Amino acid sequence: MLSTLFIASAALLGAAAAAPAHHDGHTQTVFEFPNNSFIENLAVRSNGQILVTALTSRELVLVDPRRAGDSVLVHEFTEANALTGIAEYEPDVFAVITGDYHFMTPNLGAGTWALWSVDMRGVKVENGGLVPAPKISKIKHVPESQLFNGISVLSRKDKTLLVGDSKAGVIYRVNAKTGDYQVVINCTYTSPLNTPHGVNGLHIRGDTLYFANSGQFQIFKVPIHEDGTAAGQFTAVAKAQRPMEVYDDFTLDCEGNIFTSTGGANSIVKVSPDGKRQVVVAGSLNSTDVAEPTAATFGRGQFDKDVLYVTTAGGSAIPVNGHIIIPGKLLAIKTHSRKCY
């Protein structure tokens, strides 16, 4: 997510393309949103359905990649103008970040960011709606927040989350059960320095925290304690190598490879576990195939465990070739990798 966005708000529900065929080496459109939709993040339910957030809408939407045309409104967060990160902290229960972010002004929603719980247990799609209705409850409003963005589960047992504040350049620990929160990491590596954005996407693998710093054009890792505080040295895993590459959100596969979105570079890059090898697996700088990707994660079903789902902004912040803007999308990219859920 880029803080320089000045794009008009748009409803998320729109016409979908046909379900992807998932051929190797091809990028397929799962769902195309309306014009000027900055699609921000995603999470996959255990049944394969995908929850999608956007910076240009207060609506959380569900898309089923197996059924052409399916999109269902999960919930409209009336207190917010934008949704950012999303993470599953209990089976089929998701934490969603919301904020009063205004795109036609420099207002980043400072002081408005909050976390909500979206309980999808037992919820099914019937007749174009959800039955029963999801249970929505506020976890916590954080008045010190400047721009909440990435989110990852720290402990399922304790129901704790790590949340990145991109503008402040810090990482919070938040208890999804009690709402208690505090800053656990605040250092040069998470800082925006002299740019609009610091820490962005973040994910935990074992006792290691990985996070992207968009302003520093790098992905870092650090061992952490059970409370989310740093337990060792910060290490740079990847540094942008191509024009317009701005690391946003990402995911890791079972082997520890990082699949990262690159913003204005319009591509998905695979980074080896040691960081020594980077390969573009989809998209290219001058192509609209993966126009301004924002986040990525793998499927969870037998049919799509090796499929990387990607959200895109369509060039809303950084137009392709300087002038091309297309609708935000949910894409599917066939890979030879998979995530260890």
Side-chain angles (χ1 to χ4, degrees):
M1 179 177 65
L2 301 177
S3 62
T4 52
L5 298 179
F6 301 107
I7 52 182
S9 177
L12 277 178
L13 301 179
H22 301 324
H23 300 300
D24 284 339
H26 290 274
T27 299
Q28 300 287 331
T29 297
V30 179
F31 197 92
E32 182 174 295
F33 295 87
N35 291 331
N36 297 319
S37 294
F38 191 112
I39 309 307
E40 169 65 9
N41 219 309
L42 72 167
V44 182
R45 299 181 69 190
S46 58
N47 66 5
Q49 295 170 345
I50 303 173
L51 298 170
V52 182
T53 70
L55 288 176
T56 47
S57 176
R58 60 188 64 182
E59 296 175 350
L60 178 65
V61 169
L62 182 147
V63 175
D64 191 335
R66 293 161 295 186
R67 302 179 64 180
D70 273 1
S71 70
V72 181
L73 174 65
V74 176
H75 184 72
E76 181 178 0
F77 293 89
T78 57
E79 296 181 8
N81 282 335
L83 311 182
T84 57
I86 180 171
E88 184 180 24
Y89 69 93
E90 287 187 70
D92 223 13
V93 183
F94 299 82
V96 178
I97 300 173
T98 71
D100 190 22
Y101 191 114
H102 294 266
F103 294 95
M104 301 309 291
T105 74
N107 182 358
L108 305 182
T112 69
W113 296 94
L115 278 80
W116 294 76
S117 175
V118 178
D119 189 340
M120 298 290 291
R121 288 176 292 190
V123 176
K124 298 180 179 180
V125 177
E126 293 185 7
N127 300 319
L130 297 180
V131 180
K135 297 177 182 177
I136 312 296
S137 59
K138 183 182 285 188
I139 295 172
K140 193 68 175 181
H141 164 238
V142 181
E144 300 93 333
S145 60
Q146 295 189 39
L147 180 55
F148 275 3
N149 197 342
I151 185 172
S152 186
V153 177
L154 176 62
S155 170
R156 288 187 180 272
K157 177 183 177 182
D158 298 331
K159 297 180 177 57
T160 52
L161 306 157
L162 291 187
V163 179
D165 189 321
S166 293
K167 184 71 169 76
V170 302
I171 296 175
Y172 285 81
R173 182 184 68 244
V174 181
N175 188 305
K177 183 177 181 179
T178 67
D180 292 340
Y181 65 91
Q182 69 181 97
V183 173
V184 290
I185 298 179
N186 180 5
C187 63
T188 302
Y189 301 99
T190 54
S191 170
L193 297 181
N194 296 319
T195 70
H197 260 300
V199 59
N200 199 320
L202 51 87
H203 296 278
I204 298 168
R205 171 66 63 87
D207 62 355
T208 301
L209 169 66
Y210 294 80
F211 64 90
N213 188 311
S214 296
Q216 297 186 34
F217 307 100
Q218 295 187 79
I219 295 175
F220 296 96
K221 67 177 181 179
V222 61
I224 55 175
H225 296 294
E226 291 184 358
D227 64 358
T229 57
Q233 293 185 339
F234 291 78
T235 304
V237 180
K239 186 172 184 178
Q241 297 183 351
R242 301 162 191 85
M244 304 296 289
E245 278 190 353
V246 178
Y247 294 142
D248 199 330
D249 212 336
F250 58 91
T251 192
L252 294 94
D253 68 9
C254 285
E255 286 71 47
N257 298 294
I258 299 171
F259 288 76
T260 183
S261 55
T262 63
N266 305 315
S267 61
I268 298 296
V269 172
K270 178 182 178 182
V271 181
S272 63
D274 61 7
K276 294 182 178 179
R277 187 166 182 264
Q278 293 193 27
V279 178
V280 175
V281 297
S284 64
L285 179 62
N286 299 313
S287 169
T288 58
D289 287 347
V290 189
E292 202 176 359
T294 56
T297 196
F298 284 97
R300 298 177 67 173
Q302 291 299 322
F303 74 100
D304 65 351
K305 284 185 177 180
D306 58 353
V307 172
L308 187 71
Y309 290 106
V310 175
T311 50
T312 74
S316 297
I318 306 173
V320 180
N321 286 327
H323 64 94
I324 300 173
I325 299 175
I326 65 174
K329 296 182 179 182
L330 174 62
L331 303 175
I333 301 168
K334 184 77 170 180
T335 73
H336 297 289
S337 299
R338 59 183 57 191
K339 182 175 179 178
C340 298
Y341 281 97

